[in-house]
Amino acid sequence: QIQLVQSGPELKKPGESVKISCKASGYTFTDYAMHWVKQAPGKGLKWMGWINTYTGKPTYADDFKGRFVFSLEASASTANLQISNLKNEDTATYFCARYGYYSAHWYFDFWGPGTMVTVSS
Amino acid sequence: DIQLTQSPSSMSASLGDRVSLTCQSSQGIGNYLSWYQHKPGKPPKPMIYYATNLADGVPSRFSGSRSGSDYSLTISSLESEDTAIYYCLQYDEYPYTFGAGTKLELK
């Protein structure tokens, strides 16, 4: 069955970097794009962008340009999110979500469980 | 950016009630709107895609509709497991945007 498994929680200091992984199984990884969504504590969902798992080309929402990098380890069916120069406001749960195709339409059909990143000095 | 305004921000209803949640788009997005149910400690669960299509495994008491730029998620008969925050998402153009969510509780 289709699964997205994310790496475990992270506790980091301001200025450090973190890399979150999202390992896919149960389908052909390169057939479906992977999106990333942020949820800060007590806040709603925010779309960060996506990566084309076939070409590796990332697309970022404006608020996530610069310190955020989407990457792939396609041979391992894994998408990664790296955040550099961490700030307190990066404290959040980060979800990966597959962009699936049903009945001629696309939507986020499978989600990872989320990775909690805490930034604190 | 396209703004999605969800209403109400929170509501409470009784078991068996018919409940409708609304999401209004600031500009045309066609039917490129989906709904997600989010419970604490869990990932969002897809409920409706392309405005009116039921996602796989979602009970038939859920439905989606559209009237112009207003989109609705309706639960025909509320069950206890339906308590959650519901988010709409537009995926017509970048950046994709979520509504602020509607918190649905039991009365």
Side-chain angles (χ1 to χ4, degrees):
Chain A
Q1 76 280 23
I2 295 169
Q3 273 192 302
L4 299 178
V5 177
Q6 294 187 230
S7 48
E10 301 271 6
L11 175 59
K12 296 289 185 180
K13 291 180 167 46
E16 293 184 337
S17 295
V18 68
K19 190 173 186 178
I20 299 164
S21 65
C22 171
K23 183 172 176 60
S25 62
Y27 70 97
T28 302
F29 181 70
T30 52
D31 282 352
Y32 299 91
M34 195 69 77
H35 290 243
W36 291 92
V37 173
K38 175 184 179 181
Q39 185 175 39
K43 302 293 186 182
L45 303 172
K46 187 165 188 175
W47 181 78
M48 301 174 66
W50 67 286
I51 187 163
N52 183 318
T53 54
Y54 185 74
T55 65
K57 179 178 183 291
T59 298
Y60 302 96
D62 284 348
D63 286 350
F64 300 98
K65 290 179 179 175
R67 299 187 297 112
F68 298 81
V69 175
F70 305 146
S71 63
L72 301 174
E73 295 169 49
S75 61
S77 298
T78 298
N80 300 306
L81 163 62
Q82 183 159 354
I83 311 171
S84 59
N85 189 21
L86 282 161
K87 304 178 187 304
N88 289 332
E89 54 263 37
D90 296 326
T91 295
T93 298
Y94 294 87
F95 296 98
C96 58
R98 190 185 85 151
Y99 203 43
Y101 189 71
Y102 291 87
S103 303
H105 301 296
W106 297 88
Y107 70 102
F108 297 152
D109 58 350
F110 287 92
W111 292 64
T115 294
M116 179 69 195
V117 174
T118 302
V119 183
S120 174
S121 54
Chain B
D1 297 358
I2 295 173
Q3 309 296 322
L4 296 180
T5 302
Q6 288 191 242
S7 60
S9 56
S10 66
M11 67 175 295
S12 60
S14 301
L15 293 175
D17 281 354
R18 182 180 180 87
V19 171
S20 284
L21 314 180
T22 298
C23 177
Q24 182 177 62
S25 177
S26 63
Q27 61 191 76
I29 57 171
N31 280 352
Y32 292 100
L33 185 116
S34 53
W35 290 91
Y36 298 86
Q37 178 192 69
H38 198 197
K39 297 183 179 182
K42 302 277 190 183
K45 175 185 176 182
M47 306 301 284
I48 298 288
Y49 65 95
Y50 203 63
T52 62
N53 294 266
L54 205 63
D56 200 34
V58 174
S60 58
R61 65 180 180 275
F62 288 88
S63 63
S65 62
R66 173 193 173 190
S67 175
S69 62
D70 291 337
Y71 301 80
S72 296
L73 174 70
T74 299
I75 308 171
S76 60
S77 179
L78 186 67
E79 297 193 8
S80 57
E81 66 195 45
D82 300 335
T83 57
I85 298 176
Y86 290 84
Y87 293 95
C88 54
L89 164 75
Q90 70 79 20
Y91 53 107
D92 182 52
E93 67 175 50
Y94 299 139
Y96 293 174
T97 47
F98 287 92
T102 292
K103 187 174 184 178
L104 176 59
E105 297 174 308
L106 274 181
K107 196 178 290 183

